[in-house]
Each structure stands twice: as structure tokens, then as C-alpha cells.
Amino acid sequence: MSQTAPNDSAPHDSSTATQPPQTEKVSVDIEQVPVDDDPRQWSRTRKMITLWIVSVATMISTMSSNIQTSSDLLVARDLHATTAQISWTLSIYILVQGNCPLLWSIASEMAGRKPVYIIASVIFIIGGILAAFSRTFAVFLTMRALQAAGSSTFLAISAATLADIYEPHERGTMMGLFYAAPLLGPALAPVLGGTLSNIFGWRANFYCLAGSGALVLAAMIFLFKDTFRRQRSLTYQTAVRNRIGKRDKSNATNAISGVANQTRKGDEEQASKEKVSQPGHENNVREVAGTKSSPATDVKLSLADVNPFPQMWQVIQRKNSLLILWANGLVFAFNYSLSYTCARVLAIQYHYDPLQIGIILLILGAGSIFGSVIGGRWSDHVVAKLQQQSGREWYAEMRLHSAKPAMLWLPVFVLGYGWAAEKHLNVELNGVMLFFTGFFAIWIYASTLAYLVDANPGRSCFAVAMNSSFRGTLAFVATEVVVPWQDTLGVGGMYTVFAGVLIIVELLILLVMYEGVSWREKCVAAEAANGANE
């Protein structure tokens, strides 16, 4: 069995010369379709501007999720809320932020990336301002949910934006650079939030977010150039075909109905027979029914023409994508709850104040950033090396091999941190363990996220949106269960459970690493057959 890329069905066999050429179109990689002003041919400067804009926007998005953490007690006191209610603001935020990208992705596949970025930025700004003005907890919770809905766009569409402008062999490095920004956000947020709260009060956090959102909005309007190209979107092209099919079917029905009405008006049966038997009549009906050649440019689409569920289903029905979605969701849930539980441990067992906690969390953030950047570059290095070994034949699963070193060490450092904290060892050791836990966790995540984009050409936006949904939902669950786990099992016991979960995650990645090619080839063949039968 030779490992081949599913899109790599070039006519090696001479027998294909006698086959009808129309079936060859099925194997064309939609990401390589020629387009005007090809974003992948943009200058390095233009690409870097795009990368920086979406990276900063995503950093602010993730910063907004926990900027209030260091001032939770102030919020609770001012809004007369309980600790449980305040914890719900974190849980609801991550749940909304994780699932709203499904809606934003649909819009971006129809209207383009830029309009969606602009609308989402406005929503984010409004949510931040109204959260700052809140006088009751109900209003505050609602505005935080609104803010999460706006911020979620950047998490979902930014990865698809990078897929628009970079070739597959570049994506590992660029994904690594990009993902460093959303990791920097949660690391800086507690320190920034604590400082602003101490000086100006907790409402200053949300004025800061609104101001940052305004800067992102200005950059999106004046500096960002839309990367979306309809010709390279499976979602858009499918919607066009469906609209043309409906239009042609309607025209054919109208033509047949018109002929039937004319025959009823005839006074004589002979005249009716002649009308039906005219040679041009059958051809006219057939021409109307067969206007598949109608130019797509004549078709105007709206959001109503897009049914997102088939696209989502095509992502999750592929076993390779589904297993990676679970793996990514569990890694993110662990990493997200790690910050929360670490802050709790430092406050309860080490009696640290919010600023000290923020500084320790910066160590975790630094490890995550290094893991993203180094892991991304290592990912592209491994892909290039494996391409040489296989005769320059690329397939998406090559990307996953780059995660092997991190998979070996991640459970070790998770256990090390858990039991170091359990035994109240010095905080410097905890810092070292946190650094390498973040480093190896995000190394894995950067590789699997890039793989998810590579393995879903033409529908990468939906793949990333599904990824956001999985990770947001699992992070929501994690934030609800970690405190009972910590209270019941202790810090060491809880992180032993986490280490076991991460070993399962690594087994899922290994399974996709070695079986993903054959799974994808079967799915591609099945989808091609279904498309030919429609």
C-alpha cells in the first residue's frame, strides 16, 4: 500500500487516456483553482500585514475571556453577585465563543472575510462598552455573552484567512506564529486586568477591551484586504450549483406547464397533437432543463442559499477529522482549565495576590508561545523532510508526525506539575513545570490545527469553526468539573486524571497519523461518487 495524497490522482495509468475526461475534474484541488488577485501571490509585506492584523485581533479576543479574572471579587461585590454566578460568566463566555463561529463561518463563505470581521468588531465594541456600564449582574452576563459572540469571529476565521494566503507547506510555521498571539492574550490578561482594576476599578478592563476593539476595527477597514475567493470555496460553489439546479428545474416546470396550457386552449384535437409533436417543443423543454451551463456570475446568492449542515457533516463524518476535533478539544480544555486551576492553587496554597498570580501565569503563557512558534516551524521542517523521502508526494498526515516529540513529554510534565503543587514544593519548580506543560501542549495543538486545515481543502473555515465548537464546549465542561475534581482528588490526583486524558488524546493522534490517509481517500471517493450521481 503506497501512501498517496487524496487529491493527487494525476493520470499515471496510460489506460486513463481512453476514459471520458469529465470525471477527472473531481480530483482537482479546489485550493489551486486560478483566481484574480490570488492572495497566495501577494507580496511578503502584504501577507505579513494580514497575519499581524488577524493575530492582534485574535489576541484581544482571547484576552477578553479572562481579563476579569483578577477582579472577580470586585465585580461580585459591585454587582451583588455570588461566586457561583461570577464563575458562570467565564463558562458562558467560552461556550458562546466556541459555538458562534459556526454562524460566522457561513457568513464569511458568502460575503467574504472582511465584512464579517468588521461586523464582529462592532459587536465586540458594543458588548465591551455596555459591560462596563452594567449595574446589574444579569446585564453584565448578557453583555459578556454579546462580547463573546463578537470575539469568536477572529478565532474561527483567522485560521481560514491564513489558509487563503499561504500554501500548505508554509502553514505550519505561519500557524505557529499566528497561534502565539491568542496564547499571549490569556497570559497578559490577568496582569493587565489586575493593574487596571487596582488603579481605575474593574470597569476599566472593559473600556480597555472596547478601545482595543476600535483599533482592530480601524485596521480591518483601512489596512486589511479581503483574502476570500469564491472560486476556492466549496461552500460557495455548492450553493451556486444548488441555486442553478433549482432555477433550471423551475424553468423546465414552467415551460412544460406553458405547453400544457396551450394545448388546453386548442379547439381541435388535431391542433393539440400538432402542438405537442412539434420537433422544437421537446428540445425547448430539454434546453431549459439543461441550462447547467448558465454562468455562475448570473447567480446572486444570500445566506438563505447556504445550508451549513452538509458542510459540517462532511467535516465530522471523516474519521480523521472527527478524531482530531476531539483531540484538539481535549487539549484546549486542559490548557484552558490549567490557567484557572493554577490561579486557584496559587491563591489558596501559596497565598499569592492577583498580580503575583498573573506573573506566574505569564510563565505558562511564555511556554505556550514558544511551543506554538517552535512547534509550527518544526512542523514545516518535518513535512519537507517527509516529502523528500516520499519523492515530493505530499499528504496532510505528514503534519502530525511533527507532534511526536511533544507527545512523549507532555504527560510527564503534567504529572510533575500536579504533584509538585500537591506537595507544596517551591514555586520556581512549579513555574518550570508550567512552562514545559504549556510548551508541549501547544506544540501538539499547533500541529493538529494545521492538519485540520490541510485535511479539509475548500472547507477549512467550517473545519476551524467545528474545532472552535468542540474546544469551546469541552472547555465549558472542564471549567465546571475541575473545581469538584480538585476538591475531591487533590491537585496531584486531578492532574493525574488530566495526564491520562492526554495519553488518550495522543493515541487518537497516532491513529489518525497512520490510518488517516486511507480514511480520507475513501471519503473523497465517496463524496466524488455522490457528486457524480447528483
Side-chain angles (χ1 to χ4, degrees):
M1 291 178 58
S2 62
Q3 289 183 316
T4 60
N7 294 325
D8 241 343
S9 52
H12 300 297
D13 192 346
S14 60
S15 63
T16 58
T18 61
Q19 298 296 324
Q22 63 270 22
T23 57
E24 294 297 320
K25 293 182 180 179
V26 174
S27 62
V28 173
D29 185 352
I30 194 169
E31 290 195 348
Q32 303 302 325
V33 172
V35 294
D36 293 332
D37 190 21
D38 190 344
R40 295 183 186 175
Q41 302 301 319
W42 286 352
S43 67
R44 179 179 176 83
T45 301
R46 168 56 61 184
K47 289 184 178 182
M48 290 305 296
I49 290 173
T50 302
L51 174 62
W52 275 102
I53 291 174
V54 298
S55 296
V56 171
T58 309
M59 181 189 71
I60 294 171
S61 172
T62 56
M63 183 185 295
S64 68
S65 66
N66 64 345
I67 194 171
Q68 74 175 68
T69 302
S70 56
S71 58
D72 279 345
L73 293 178
L74 299 177
V75 176
R77 184 179 61 192
D78 200 15
L79 300 181
H80 308 291
T82 65
T83 303
Q85 287 176 317
I86 293 298
S87 70
W88 266 96
T89 63
L90 180 63
S91 300
I92 292 297
Y93 194 98
I94 194 64
L95 183 65
V96 172
Q97 193 181 59
N99 287 282
C100 275
L102 297 174
L103 301 177
W104 290 121
S105 296
I106 300 169
S108 75
E109 291 292 311
M110 301 299 297
R113 316 292 189 215
K114 183 169 183 171
V116 174
Y117 280 136
I118 292 173
I119 293 171
S121 297
V122 172
I123 293 174
F124 180 78
I125 294 168
I126 293 173
I129 293 173
L130 294 181
F133 277 106
S134 299
R135 291 293 180 267
T136 65
F137 176 75
V139 173
F140 179 74
L141 180 63
T142 303
M143 291 306 103
R144 286 292 281 160
L146 181 65
Q147 198 175 35
S151 71
S152 66
T153 306
F154 307 114
L155 292 171
I157 302 178
S158 293
T161 300
L162 298 187
D164 293 339
I165 63 177
Y166 290 111
E167 296 288 354
H169 68 272
E170 303 173 290
R171 288 178 189 161
T173 298
M174 295 307 167
M175 283 288 185
L177 292 173
F178 159 72
Y179 204 70
L183 293 171
L184 183 61
L188 292 176
V191 177
L192 177 62
T195 303
L196 290 174
S197 296
N198 288 338
I199 299 174
F200 302 107
W202 66 267
R203 298 179 190 275
N205 292 334
F206 299 99
Y207 288 126
C208 176
L209 290 177
S212 301
L215 292 177
V216 170
L217 176 61
M220 288 296 177
I221 293 174
F222 298 110
L223 298 178
F224 182 80
K225 188 176 181 180
D226 206 335
T227 62
F228 178 71
R229 296 296 179 266
R230 295 172 177 176
Q231 298 90 334
R232 289 179 176 173
S233 169
L234 280 175
T235 304
Y236 190 89
Q237 296 304 319
T238 300
V240 168
R241 288 195 299 270
N242 291 341
R243 170 59 76 89
I244 291 175
K246 290 178 181 178
R247 184 183 67 183
D248 294 345
K249 191 174 183 180
S250 175
N251 290 343
T253 301
N254 291 338
I256 295 172
S257 177
V259 172
N261 288 336
Q262 279 191 308
T263 59
R264 290 192 200 101
K265 292 180 181 179
D267 293 329
E268 298 180 7
E269 187 174 338
Q270 181 64 31
S272 175
K273 290 180 180 178
E274 290 176 359
K275 186 73 177 178
V276 175
S277 61
Q278 285 178 358
H281 163 67
E282 190 176 6
N283 292 335
N284 288 337
V285 174
R286 197 176 289 127
E287 281 178 14
V288 175
T291 54
K292 295 278 185 183
S293 60
S294 302
T297 54
D298 294 341
V299 180
K300 295 187 181 299
L301 299 179
S302 66
L303 291 179
D305 294 304
V306 181
N307 179 4
F309 296 106
Q311 295 288 338
M312 296 178 196
W313 174 245
Q314 286 181 336
V315 171
I316 64 175
Q317 76 171 347
R318 295 185 174 191
K319 286 188 285 187
N320 61 303
S321 293
L322 181 60
L323 294 184
I324 293 299
L325 286 171
W326 275 105
N328 282 354
L330 290 170
V331 170
F332 180 83
F334 160 74
N335 213 54
Y336 190 80
S337 58
L338 176 61
S339 299
Y340 180 63
T341 55
C342 176
R344 195 165 182 261
V345 168
L346 291 171
I348 296 174
Q349 298 185 5
Y350 291 87
H351 307 292
Y352 273 29
D353 62 33
L355 187 57
Q356 290 173 312
I357 292 173
I359 292 172
I360 296 299
L361 290 179
L362 273 176
I363 298 174
L364 172 62
S368 299
I369 292 169
F370 278 106
S372 180
V373 174
I374 295 174
R377 293 187 68 86
W378 177 254
S379 173
D380 281 346
H381 170 75
V382 169
V383 168
K385 183 177 179 180
L386 290 176
Q387 277 185 286
Q388 290 179 341
Q389 293 176 354
S390 62
R392 308 300 296 176
E393 191 174 81
W394 178 88
Y395 56 93
E397 284 70 22
M398 287 179 174
R399 181 84 60 193
L400 297 178
H401 288 269
S402 64
K404 285 179 178 178
M407 290 164 61
L408 177 65
W409 290 105
L410 177 59
V412 175
F413 282 99
V414 171
L415 285 171
Y417 168 70
W419 288 104
E422 174 77 19
K423 301 300 182 182
H424 296 188
L425 301 182
N426 65 70
V427 75
E428 289 80 7
L429 177 61
N430 283 340
V432 171
M433 293 296 176
L434 282 173
F435 179 90
F436 284 105
T437 296
F439 179 82
F440 290 121
I442 300 305
W443 180 324
I444 293 172
Y445 188 85
S447 296
T448 52
L449 180 61
Y451 167 78
L452 198 61
V453 172
D454 290 343
N456 291 277
R459 57 173 73 96
S460 60
C461 197
F462 278 100
V464 176
M466 291 300 298
N467 185 69
S468 294
S469 180
F470 267 72
R471 73 179 198 170
T473 302
L474 291 174
F476 169 78
V477 173
T479 56
E480 293 301 310
V481 302
V482 288
V483 172
W485 279 5
Q486 190 173 352
D487 293 340
T488 303
L489 303 174
V491 181
M494 180 182 67
Y495 280 99
T496 300
V497 172
F498 274 134
V501 171
L502 292 172
I503 289 173
I504 294 173
V505 165
E506 293 174 355
L507 292 176
L508 295 179
I509 296 173
L510 288 171
L511 187 59
V512 176
M513 192 183 300
Y514 294 105
E515 297 294 332
V517 174
S518 61
W519 289 345
R520 280 192 303 110
E521 286 179 339
K522 290 177 182 178
C523 287
V524 169
E527 290 169 9
N530 291 336
N533 292 331
E534 290 178 354

